[in-house]
Amino acid sequence: MDKAKQLFLISMNKLLAGLLTLLGFSLAACDKGGTCEYGSPYADYEIKGKVVDNQGYPIANIQIEISDSIPENGWMQKDTLYTDSDGKFQWKRGDFPRNTFQLISRDIDEEDNGGQFVTKTSFVSFRNADFKGGGTWYEGAASLETEITLDRYVDTHKAPHAFYTIHGQVTNDEGHPMGAIVISTTPSLLPNVPGNASKYLAITNEYGMYSFTCDLEAIEEYTIETSPLEGYGNSYEMKSEIINFAEIELSGGKGMLIGKGSKEVNFTLKKK
C-alpha cells in the first residue's frame, strides 16, 4: 500500500475512533499484555484480470467498473479502469474489509475493438482469499485473478428501438453533492432480464453523480424520481422530473436501432 493511501486510512481510523468515542462507543483491539489500539479494520485488495471473447481472443478498451457487490455499499466508492491491448487490467485498493467485489464490463467503443460486445456483470470473492501480513487492525493483503468472457452483441429486436443514457448530479441547496440517493422511474425502467437481482436503477455516488441506460421500443414520457437510500435518513425534500424521450436527439442508427441519445437530469434538494 502506498504512503498516500496509508496516511488516508490512518486519518480515517483516528476520525472514526474519535466519533465513536464521542457517541459513547469503544472500538479497540487489545493484545495479551493489555495494550489497546483504537481504529478501524482495513485490508489491501488486488484483482488481476483479462477480458476475452468466446474464442479466447483478448478485447481491448473494455471499461471495468469495480465496486462493493452490495448495492447499499457500492455507491460509496466505484473505481473505473480499462483493459489494455492484451485485454488485461489490474486493480488495487486499500479499503475496509470486503467479501466480494462486483465488476461490470462494458464495451464503450462499439465496433472499434473488433466487434460489439454485451455488457456483463461478474463477481470476485475474497471470502476465502489468502491475506498476508496482517496486524492488529490491518487484515493483510490478498491478490486474485479472474478471466471475463464477453458475448458478441446480437440485435434480436423485431421493432425499431432507441438506446438512451440518462445521467446527472444530485446536490443540496448549498451546492454540496449528495450520495446515497436512489434514482428510479415511473414506469419502472429496471432491466427485466433473467438473473438481474438489482432492485436499484441507480444510486448516486460520493460526488452525487448517477447514470443509467435503457433500451426502448415505445417512445413515451417517464418520471425520474429521487429518494433516500434506506438507512441514510430523509432530511431533504425529494424531487422528480418528467422527461419526454421523444425529444432527445438521436444519432448513430443501424438496422433496427433508430439511434442513441443522452440527457442530463440534475436535481437540487432542499432541507425540510
Side-chain angles (χ1 to χ4, degrees):
M1 181 170 58
D2 59 40
K3 291 184 178 179
K5 285 186 177 179
Q6 189 174 28
L7 288 173
F8 170 77
L9 289 169
I10 290 172
S11 299
M12 286 298 293
N13 286 342
K14 292 180 178 179
L15 175 61
L16 288 171
L19 290 172
L20 289 169
T21 300
L22 289 173
L23 292 172
F25 295 94
S26 175
L27 184 59
C30 304
D31 59 24
K32 293 180 180 180
T35 301
C36 298
E37 293 183 9
Y38 291 84
S40 58
Y42 65 98
D44 281 326
Y45 300 92
E46 179 183 46
I47 298 176
K48 297 178 181 178
K50 186 175 184 180
V51 179
V52 299
D53 63 17
N54 284 321
Q55 305 299 316
Y57 293 108
I59 310 174
N61 201 32
I62 292 295
Q63 182 188 77
I64 311 290
E65 182 183 88
I66 304 179
S67 63
D68 193 298
S69 64
I70 301 174
E72 288 82 356
N73 298 333
W75 67 269
M76 295 180 186
Q77 184 177 358
K78 292 185 178 181
D79 292 331
T80 302
L81 55 155
Y82 301 85
T83 58
D84 62 18
S85 59
D86 296 319
K88 296 180 179 180
F89 67 92
Q90 184 177 16
W91 170 84
K92 292 182 179 181
R93 182 197 291 179
D95 202 349
F96 297 106
R98 312 284 188 185
N99 285 329
T100 305
F101 290 95
Q102 173 183 270
L103 285 68
I104 300 178
S105 305
R106 296 187 179 94
D107 184 1
I108 58 172
D109 61 10
E110 300 183 357
E111 302 287 343
D112 289 348
N113 55 1
Q116 188 173 354
F117 298 90
V118 179
T119 297
K120 183 174 183 177
T121 299
S122 54
F123 300 89
V124 175
S125 175
F126 282 83
R127 188 178 300 274
N128 297 316
D130 181 19
F131 285 86
K132 298 179 179 179
T136 303
W137 287 109
Y138 179 51
E139 295 197 357
S143 178
L144 295 176
E145 296 187 10
T146 185
E147 182 170 283
I148 301 170
T149 301
L150 300 186
D151 296 324
R152 289 186 178 274
Y153 174 76
V154 177
D155 192 348
T156 58
H157 290 84
K158 300 184 182 301
H161 65 103
F163 190 82
Y164 300 93
T165 299
I166 308 299
H167 62 97
Q169 184 180 35
V170 180
T171 58
N172 62 19
D173 48 5
E174 295 180 345
H176 300 304
M178 296 188 63
I181 299 295
V182 176
I183 306 296
S184 57
T185 63
T186 301
S188 176
L189 285 173
L190 269 174
N192 184 22
V193 296
N196 179 52
S198 176
K199 59 181 179 180
Y200 302 107
L201 183 62
I203 303 174
T204 58
N205 63 17
E206 57 188 319
Y207 306 108
M209 308 297 292
Y210 76 91
S211 176
F212 67 86
T213 60
C214 53
D215 191 342
L216 301 177
E217 292 182 358
I219 309 300
E220 55 186 291
E221 290 185 342
Y222 283 78
T223 301
I224 311 297
E225 303 162 326
T226 61
S227 61
L229 185 62
E230 185 176 355
Y232 285 86
N234 186 15
S235 58
Y236 287 85
E237 296 179 357
M238 295 295 114
K239 286 188 175 182
S240 63
E241 183 173 335
I242 297 175
I243 63 172
N244 187 346
F245 281 82
E247 298 176 350
I248 299 177
E249 184 177 350
L250 302 175
S251 62
K254 180 181 179 182
M256 285 291 183
L257 179 66
I258 301 172
K260 298 182 179 182
S262 65
K263 183 176 178 63
E264 183 175 350
V265 182
N266 299 315
F267 295 94
T268 300
L269 307 183
K270 295 183 178 181
K271 277 270 192 181
K272 289 183 177 180

